[in-house]
Amino acid sequence: MESGPAIFAGSVFALFGAGLLAWTAVRVRHREPVAHGVSPVASAMIASSAAVIALVAGAWCFTQL
């Protein structure tokens, strides 16, 4: 019964993290800003860090099944 919420949360975290990481990689590869008005290096690092944290949270949710 309790595995349903863990699967849902893990899926949401994993999809968000993967999407954010892919979007950040495309923006950096095309040399476009990740966030307007912020240092390109800082915004890319913060977005990448948030994506990795979301992927780790998703993996943690899947290990709790």
Side-chain angles (χ1 to χ4, degrees):
M1 285 300 249
E2 295 180 9
S3 64
I7 292 171
F8 177 74
S11 299
V12 169
F13 278 125
L15 286 174
F16 174 74
L20 182 60
L21 194 60
W23 179 80
T24 303
V26 169
R27 298 292 287 186
V28 169
R29 181 166 293 179
H30 291 313
R31 296 184 190 266
E32 296 176 357
V34 176
H36 293 288
V38 183
S39 167
V41 174
S43 61
M45 288 304 298
I46 291 171
S48 298
S49 299
V52 169
I53 289 170
L55 287 171
V56 168
W60 181 79
C61 287
F62 286 132
T63 61
Q64 298 302 310
L65 297 177

